[in-house]
Amino acid sequence: MSNYTIQTGLWVNHDSTPALGATLTVSIRWGNYLIAALSSIVAWAGASAWSILSFYLHQRLAAAKEKDVLHQQLQVHFRTAGSFLDSWLDGFALQKAWRGRAERVKRRTLAVSILALVLFALFMAAGVFVAEVATKTYQDVLVLATPNDCGDLAFALQETDPDRLAGAINEWTSYYNDGAFWSRNYARDVYVERRGRESGFTMPELPIISHETPCPYTNGTTCLGPNRTEGPAWKMDSGPLDSHVHFGMNAPVQERVTWAVTATCAVVDTQNLTTAPYWREEDNDDRTKLNNTYIGILQQFGPDEGYDSNLMFEVPLYLKHQRTGYRSQRGLWTPGLNDANGKAITGYPFNNTDADMAMISTTQGRMFYYQRVDDPYFMAHESATNEEYAMDLNATVYYPSQLVTVMVCTEQQQICNPLTGHCTPWSNKLQLVGAIGNNTIHLNNAQQATALRFVASVSSMISQTPRAATNLMVAEKNGVRGGTSLPPNQWIKEIELWFAANLANTQATLLEWVAKPWPTGESDKYFKHMNLTAVNAPYKAAGIMEQKESLCRNQLIRSNTTVQNFSVLALTIVIVFCSALIITALLLPTCVGHARERRRAKGLQLSEAAEAGRVARLADAKYNVLAMALRGAGVEGWEKRGTSEIPVTKGSVPVCTPVEKDGLPVYPCVSCAICRTPRGSGSDSGNETAWDEEKKTKRPGLRLDIKSVSEYSDVDSKRQDSGSKSFRHKLSRSMTEHTLVASPVEMDDTGDEKSSIADADRITSLAPAPPIPKKSRTRST
């Protein structure tokens, strides 16, 4: 078998549609890089999906009309959402912190953790299973073979020296013989012993249908069954084999053909075909034999008396007395036999005008078996003791009943056009070549190139019939001595192996049509005798060289080497889907913001929810949250430059280091003593004074609308106008029992309100605060 070179890159496997069959073949190394890149893209897409969901949830929360602090914290969380893990942990942290202090805490906070966990699990699984777009590194994959001297195989013997010519013939004979023996061993391993074997075939085992059939020979002979009684013949059929599916000629449906082969074999009675013993003088005196007496098994007989030694088997009688093991001979002939005068031979029982034929004779020498053998081809019924059979074992053995047994096989082939349903007649190889050359079944150019490749490459079961004892399974089992008994259907097992070997040899030859088993351009012992003109001759004659070159580039082989196949469709889906998520996450906030700004620039009013989302998007940004905290600490001079969402000061402004007050970090006012006092110095009383000063500091950027607070504090407009102390008392009491969250507003450069997202007549959110424990309540006097 050839050591095939694999094509890498993009190609289409025509097992399915072009979209589904588009394939990328790369080395294992680059395959690992590609899988790692896909996993990274999926992880990035997962983070982007969380960003998109966070943007949506933030806008939904910002549009709510009733808010509390937990609501605002969740809103800020989604505005500044980090990774899945951060959000998952924040959900639990918020739930723990707010337990018993707000309504529906678990439902509101755990939703954050569950959403983060679900998305994390989905994209984690996607990152793992993204490797499924590629084939496994430990499995065989279908790839394209690189052409090497692609075309019909033929050799031209141009040697004039007789010795060199004989050497060339021996080299090419060994090439064909090596292929036949390889195919036979492959068939034994795969079809008989059911073991895997490396071959490169797209389908390692082709279908074989075997069954008995009536004996086709009735003129002068008959078929034999067990115990040499009359029996049936045995037929083997491959069924239609698709050029693409079974032989890997990668092509769409409209460019395919089917090929089929059938063979019928039978053990035949040779009584009327055996000559009387005759003596022939030997030229080679070195051969050792008991005598020069032979019998002949005729391959033909007819009106002319006598026989032609070229058309019969000669079996020396001395083989019966020598332990030579199994010895087989094979005779082939052309259908439609004629006699020496060119007249058709009518009395020949095996004459068949539309099939290739072979006669196989086998002698068993002094083989013996410990049990009777009823198989008609290897029958052994004659018993003898050890002494009589020159054995040193104390047992009765059985030796062959006949010196020589004969089997006859016929073989036919057929090529069909699947598009029209037309088929060539079942015929021999020469007739099939003529039918395809004349295009009698109306093949298109691509189909005709495929059919010509078949007729140039297909093997014959007859070529797999025994030319030596090594082609018989019984020879491997019993060697040259014997011993193990044989089943009554051993001859059927032998011919089924020959048929399977024929199929394997056909597969191998079709592969070698694309890539010859020798290095390109080197002085190989086979290549130097190759007829380079014959490689393209039939395709040039038919004007289909383009289709022939397409066949060269599209031969599928099964490989277990270091390559991987990627589905181009799956790659495209993963990359497009992930890229869409990534681009959406990058552009969504910007596009939504630009759309809203353009609407405002045209003087169009945004909806209440859109305006709330727009301002909340600015207010809840981490830099704006920091700016609001610093404005409360007295840092002034803030402005927004251009379209940036990052607030900046007009100049460099010193900022105090955050300190802890009542267990919470705060920024002290820039003018307070605590800001000017180094950390770790001074007294607590001084710090308290500083905090008192800080409480008086104006807090720009925050507005509290309290007109609608009357249902909680019983404050009405009259009490508000009177300036009575009851308003301040009840407002303080209301602030103790309820937490008010003001809506963020935009301020201009002077510190005045620029716009509002709510009417001044209502409070954006007013949620009940946690009840004060009874032990801490005191009655006011």
Side-chain angles (χ1 to χ4, degrees), residues 368-370 384-387 389 391-398:
F368 72 91
Y369 307 94
Y370 289 117
T385 62
N386 291 318
E387 293 77 11
Y389 212 62
M391 297 293 295
D392 55 359
L393 299 176
N394 186 20
T396 299
V397 295
Y398 297 87

Side-chain angles (χ1 to χ4, degrees), residues 72 76 79-80 616-639 645-649 653-659 665-670 694 699-701 744:
Q72 195 70 23
V76 172
R79 176 61 178 87
T80 59
R617 175 87 186 159
L618 298 173
D620 296 337
K622 56 186 177 182
Y623 297 112
N624 274 309
V625 171
L626 176 62
M628 286 189 285
L630 293 177
R631 292 183 83 166
V635 178
E636 300 293 343
W638 294 93
E639 63 180 3
E645 295 183 357
I646 302 177
V648 297
T649 57
V653 178
V655 177
C656 301
T657 303
V659 296
V666 295
Y667 284 96
C669 63
V670 295
E694 185 181 359
R699 310 288 176 87

Side-chain angles (χ1 to χ4, degrees), residues 274-422:
T274 304
T275 67
Y278 62 90
W279 180 89
R280 181 160 59 86
E281 183 179 358
E282 293 290 341
D283 295 332
N284 187 355
D285 295 333
D286 295 333
R287 293 185 61 183
T288 303
K289 60 182 72 66
L290 296 180
N291 53 53
N292 291 342
T293 305
Y294 292 80
I295 61 171
I297 307 298
L298 296 177
Q299 295 183 40
Q300 70 165 348
F301 62 88
D304 296 340
E305 294 184 0
Y307 62 87
D308 183 351
S309 61
N310 293 325
L311 294 176
M312 70 176 231
F313 296 133
E314 290 188 319
V315 182
L317 295 181
Y318 68 80
L319 292 179
K320 188 173 183 179
H321 304 285
Q322 288 191 349
R323 188 165 293 131
T324 58
Y326 301 97
R327 295 183 61 172
S328 298
Q329 300 182 73
R330 180 189 64 186
L332 311 176
W333 63 87
T334 304
L337 292 171
N338 297 329
D339 62 15
N341 298 321
K343 185 178 179 181
I345 300 175
T346 58
Y348 183 50
F350 310 123
N351 198 16
N352 193 327
T353 59
D354 56 4
D356 292 309
M357 304 194 72
M359 178 183 285
I360 308 98
S361 70
T362 298
T363 60
Q364 302 184 67
R366 287 179 64 83
M367 297 293 295
F368 72 91
Y369 307 94
Y370 289 117
Q371 294 177 330
R372 286 166 52 101
V373 176
D374 293 331
D375 183 278
Y377 198 64
F378 302 100
M379 190 173 70
H381 282 186
E382 305 298 328
S383 62
T385 62
N386 291 318
E387 293 77 11
E388 295 173 330
Y389 212 62
M391 297 293 295
D392 55 359
L393 299 176
N394 186 20
T396 299
V397 295
Y398 297 87
Y399 59 89
S401 300
Q402 288 188 306
L403 171 64
V404 59
T405 53
V406 174
M407 185 188 303
V408 175
C409 293
T410 60
E411 183 181 51
Q412 295 177 305
Q413 301 182 39
Q414 183 184 67
I415 289 180
C416 293
N417 183 346
L419 298 182
T420 63
H422 295 156

